[in-house]
Amino acid sequence: MQVAFQAERFPEPAFSELQRRVFADVQAESAALAQVLADEGPALPDGGQAPMLRFAARRGDELLGWSVGWMERGRVYYMAHSGVVPEARRQGVYAALLDAVVAHVQGLGAVSLRSQHSVLNNAILRCKLRHGFHVTGFSHSPQMGALVELTRHLHPARQALWRERVLPLVAPAV
């Protein structure tokens, strides 16, 4: 076998056929995603700054918790920050906020929700995982440190496609 760093050109049509063979599975997956996107309907307008949405959990006039976020491109709702006062934690306040956010943004046409959290925020991570979110990435912020990204797909076809593509890549538990 010879390896060259530079080739003037590749022989055609053999190279085009090689590309089709090599990327056939990616093309099939892309076609499946395109069908899911088409079934979900037209995208929301992307012009300008998305309005911030604020959700409040109250007991009478007392604010117990909140969630703030906005729509991103691709009809993804980004949950930017949320909180629950310490004395109201572990009473279902955050779960109720999640349910309200999901119901509202589904009505706006969102196809998924996305959020980022400190890897140390176990209470929120556990709650969101119990409510259908999945770990979809990791990053690092100078301000927050190590972050985990969570995503919840709101449509069964999108969720099925995610499971089909991602779960085979996850190592089995030992």
Side-chain angles (χ1 to χ4, degrees):
M1 170 177 58
Q2 292 180 318
V3 176
F5 290 103
Q6 184 176 359
E8 292 300 319
R9 68 176 70 98
F10 296 110
E12 288 294 349
F15 181 65
S16 293
E17 177 56 32
L18 179 63
Q19 284 182 309
R20 278 191 287 281
R21 283 187 22 233
V22 168
F23 295 119
D25 55 341
V26 173
Q27 292 296 328
E29 289 177 6
S30 295
L33 176 59
Q35 185 59 53
V36 167
L37 295 174
D39 291 345
E40 290 172 347
L44 296 175
D46 282 352
Q49 180 73 18
M52 190 173 295
L53 300 176
R54 294 174 181 87
F55 298 85
R58 298 180 183 278
R59 183 182 301 128
D61 289 337
E62 180 186 8
L63 181 64
L64 300 177
W66 77 90
S67 183
V68 174
W70 51 84
M71 293 296 286
E72 296 181 317
R73 285 194 168 136
R75 298 187 305 168
V76 174
Y77 181 76
Y78 180 68
M79 293 181 73
H81 58 89
S82 306
V84 175
V85 296
E87 57 273 13
R89 292 180 185 159
R90 300 196 185 278
Q91 298 175 26
V93 174
Y94 190 73
L97 278 167
L98 271 178
D99 291 342
V101 169
V102 168
H104 186 78
V105 301
Q106 274 186 307
L108 295 176
V111 296
S112 58
L113 281 79
R114 185 177 78 85
S115 59
Q116 293 179 301
H117 307 274
S118 166
V119 297
L120 303 175
N121 195 346
N122 289 328
I124 294 304
L125 295 174
R126 283 193 309 267
C127 183
K128 282 197 163 175
L129 291 171
R130 281 194 308 268
H131 281 83
F133 283 77
H134 304 282
V135 174
T136 52
F138 295 94
S139 61
H140 187 270
S141 159
Q143 179 185 11
M144 298 291 294
L147 298 173
V148 59
E149 180 179 273
L150 300 177
T151 301
R152 178 175 169 184
H153 301 290
L154 300 177
H155 296 283
R158 185 177 281 254
Q159 179 67 12
L161 190 60
W162 181 86
R163 286 184 181 281
E164 180 182 306
R165 287 183 171 183
V166 174
L167 292 185
L169 302 176
V170 177
V174 285

